[in-house]
Amino acid sequence: SLSLSSVSNMYGELGIEILRDLKRCEPPLLPPFQDDKMRKIIQEIDGLYNEVRKTFETHKDEIATPEVSGSLVVHHASIQRNKRCMLAYISERMKRLQALRWDAGSVLPPNIRDNVGAHERDFFSDYNKLLNKYMQYVGLDLTADLKPPKELYVEVRCLKEFGEIELENGTVVLQKDSQHFLRRSDVEHLIRQGVLEHIV
Amino acid sequence: LLMGYYDIDDILAEQEAVHCTFRTDIIKLAHLDPSAIVHSKDPSHDNRIKKDSKIDLPLWIAMHLKKRKFVIVDNPKFFSHRYRQTLTADPTVVNLYDWCPFFYQVGLRLSELTQNIAIAELLTKSFGERYKTIMDLSQNSVEEDTAHLTRKLDVMERKLFNAGLTADREFQLWLKRKSKQIEPSHSVTRKRKRSTTQ
């Protein structure tokens, strides 16, 4: 027998639930991956598929009648609907992860790292590798200077204890509230990660 | 109005219910009819939905059944004569979101499904009028709280409004030569905001 979702007697409801959950959380943030609900949707698809097969077997001679074909149409549409919801869910999350690589750099911010699934972590890491490989090939950091730079050096204030960083002409200690005048290309990613603040 | 397989708003729009009348019996669909579940205990019953049953179905099911003429689809009340008159009288004052959050997307599908040109024309006309207001507001509210401005807009219109607002904000920053400032990632600032309020 079919396992109906407990919330409602309609198929495809869980698919809507995961999409609403994702929509409530504005990009680039990600809510926790809905592992459990995804599994339940797959179960629902299995159930629907069995139902379609049973209908074919028990009503072999009446397939063309509206009574039977109408049923097949709805069950098949419900399978397609569930599939679409899941793919849209995965695809939207994938897009947000891609955007994060350009926005926040090669390390996922901690508040997002906890919410991604195992496959998503793999995806992010593979995407990162691919991008790095390409950038090495063209010899340019494509994620730098997303806004056209006006000057080589920028004035920055340190927002948290970060420790020492190695730069081309020596090391700099990034202490909370300390101010520095550093090369833009050296600190841009730290500004994006919220370690430094750009003072204009 | 972009539609796409992966578009979440598109999928949510197709969840809106429309009123369907069945033109035939169909087996194994009793799960669609809350009142029919009771009968399904009967072992001889094949969970059929009876001809002439009237049930609210999500658009995505109704579309499939209507294409094969298994159901008659009635327009939802926000496309009834009275509502249409209200919208025609002054499109800009109507709270479309209250009528249906996905007013245009649902309307577009319905006009196609029921071959109803009147709906298509209504959509074009009211959007044409409302667009001017949306455009005007989005270009003149940079420093304002926009919640009350978007209250009357449907989901698609809100997207449009926000696109206009973002463009205007960026233009203002550029004028003030502020666009050269490197900003922290949105994902970082959000987190920081939350942790300070906690």
Side-chain angles (χ1 to χ4, degrees):
Chain A
S1 69
L2 281 166
S3 55
L4 294 167
S5 102
S6 57
V7 201
S8 156
N9 53 343
M10 196 81 76
Y11 298 116
E13 291 280 341
L14 278 171
I16 294 300
E17 274 179 41
I18 56 171
L19 291 178
R20 289 217 172 107
D21 175 63
L22 189 52
K23 250 203 99 160
R24 264 194 299 273
C25 181
E26 257 183 76
L29 297 184
L30 275 178
F33 187 80
Q34 299 269 16
D35 235 336
D36 197 44
K37 282 187 182 156
M38 290 289 263
R39 215 170 295 133
K40 281 195 184 126
I41 297 172
I42 294 169
Q43 274 169 17
E44 191 176 294
I45 292 178
D46 281 345
L48 282 159
Y49 176 68
N50 284 332
E51 203 62 36
V52 168
R53 253 187 19 194
K54 248 192 282 171
T55 308
F56 266 111
E57 281 162 18
T58 48
H59 300 275
K60 228 179 284 166
D61 306 321
E62 309 144 277
I63 298 289
T65 65
E67 285 87 348
V68 176
S69 69
S71 177
L72 290 170
V73 163
V74 171
H75 284 97
H76 181 69
S78 305
I79 294 177
Q80 298 293 333
R81 175 74 174 176
N82 274 322
K83 178 180 160 191
R84 187 178 172 197
C85 289
M86 286 201 291
L87 288 176
Y89 181 73
I90 294 168
S91 148
E92 167 68 17
R93 293 180 64 97
M94 198 173 75
K95 271 188 221 150
R96 289 193 195 178
L97 285 171
Q98 278 176 323
L100 270 168
R101 171 61 188 85
W102 292 80
D103 190 37
S106 57
V107 181
L108 282 173
N111 55 329
I112 286 171
R113 198 183 310 140
D114 298 339
N115 289 350
V116 302
H119 293 299
E120 290 177 322
R121 204 166 304 148
D122 289 346
F123 169 78
F124 186 80
S125 141
D126 286 349
Y127 181 72
N128 186 35
K129 274 182 213 153
L130 205 58
L131 187 64
N132 285 342
K133 198 172 160 190
Y134 180 72
M135 291 195 298
Q136 244 163 34
Y137 176 71
V138 296
L140 194 65
D141 180 2
L142 296 172
T143 65
D145 297 328
L146 291 180
K147 286 173 182 173
K150 288 261 161 66
E151 65 282 293
L152 280 175
Y153 283 79
V154 289
E155 183 82 32
V156 291
R157 183 186 299 122
C158 194
L159 295 172
K160 50 178 108 168
E161 292 296 333
F162 195 71
E164 275 187 9
I165 52 166
E166 293 271 351
L167 297 176
E168 226 169 282
N169 30 10
T171 56
V172 178
V173 184
L174 297 179
Q175 249 178 332
K176 194 170 187 304
D177 298 324
S178 61
Q179 263 177 243
H180 310 269
F181 193 61
L182 297 168
R183 270 165 69 120
R184 189 190 158 96
S185 55
D186 286 335
V187 294
E188 192 182 357
H189 66 284
L190 290 173
I191 298 173
R192 291 245 197 85
Q193 285 166 23
V195 176
L196 301 173
E197 181 186 14
H198 183 187
I199 307 168
V200 202
Chain B
L1 188 60
L2 288 169
M3 294 198 211
Y5 184 81
Y6 296 105
D7 189 305
I8 294 179
D9 284 337
D10 246 20
I11 297 175
L12 295 180
E14 286 180 4
Q15 196 69 17
E16 291 290 323
V18 286
H19 198 63
C20 296
T21 311
F22 280 73
R23 303 178 63 191
T24 166
D25 279 24
I26 298 181
I27 62 163
K28 292 183 174 181
L29 288 193
H31 65 275
L32 297 175
D33 183 3
S35 64
I37 297 290
V38 191
H39 310 296
S40 65
K41 297 273 186 266
D42 177 5
S44 66
H45 198 275
D46 51 9
N47 281 327
R48 68 174 56 216
I49 270 186
K50 290 282 188 195
K51 181 171 184 282
D52 295 326
S53 300
K54 294 177 195 301
I55 305 171
D56 281 337
L57 293 178
L59 205 46
W60 63 270
I61 296 181
M63 278 156 60
H64 285 283
L65 289 173
K66 172 73 170 73
K67 267 182 220 153
R68 290 164 182 84
K69 302 196 169 62
F70 293 154
V71 295
I72 297 163
V73 174
D74 287 335
N75 284 330
K77 75 166 191 291
F78 49 86
F79 285 120
S80 67
H81 184 67
R82 200 168 59 82
Y83 277 68
R84 274 193 247 180
Q85 271 187 326
T86 312
L87 189 57
T88 318
D90 188 351
T92 57
V93 298
V94 171
N95 187 330
L96 273 192
Y97 192 87
D98 276 358
W99 284 15
C100 171
F102 301 97
F103 185 79
Y104 293 98
Q105 271 152 305
V106 170
L108 214 62
R109 280 170 178 75
L110 279 174
S111 69
E112 202 183 292
L113 203 61
T114 57
Q115 301 289 316
N116 192 333
I117 297 169
I119 290 186
E121 279 172 355
L122 178 78
L123 293 178
T124 321
K125 269 194 199 135
S126 48
F127 179 66
E129 282 302 311
R130 291 168 67 90
Y131 175 70
K132 292 176 204 160
T133 320
I134 297 169
M135 181 77 182
D136 186 40
L137 287 176
S138 73
Q139 298 303 295
N140 292 293
S141 4
V142 169
E143 304 296 336
E144 272 179 73
D145 177 21
T146 57
H148 69 284
L149 299 173
T150 55
R151 201 170 43 88
K152 286 185 200 165
L153 307 181
D154 101 322
V155 167
M156 185 272 287
E157 291 175 331
R158 285 177 191 196
K159 276 192 202 163
L160 201 60
F161 175 86
N162 284 323
L165 195 68
T166 312
D168 189 48
R169 260 187 201 142
E170 280 173 5
F171 179 63
Q172 297 297 333
L173 284 177
W174 179 81
L175 281 182
K176 292 177 199 152
R177 296 287 186 269
K178 274 202 172 164
S179 56
K180 64 179 177 179
Q181 181 175 15
I182 311 169
E183 280 162 14
S185 156
H186 218 40
S187 61
V188 179
T189 49
R190 287 281 177 87
K191 191 202 91 198
R192 187 147 27 103
K193 254 180 218 155
R194 201 175 305 153
S195 57
T196 49
T197 52
Q198 265 166 8

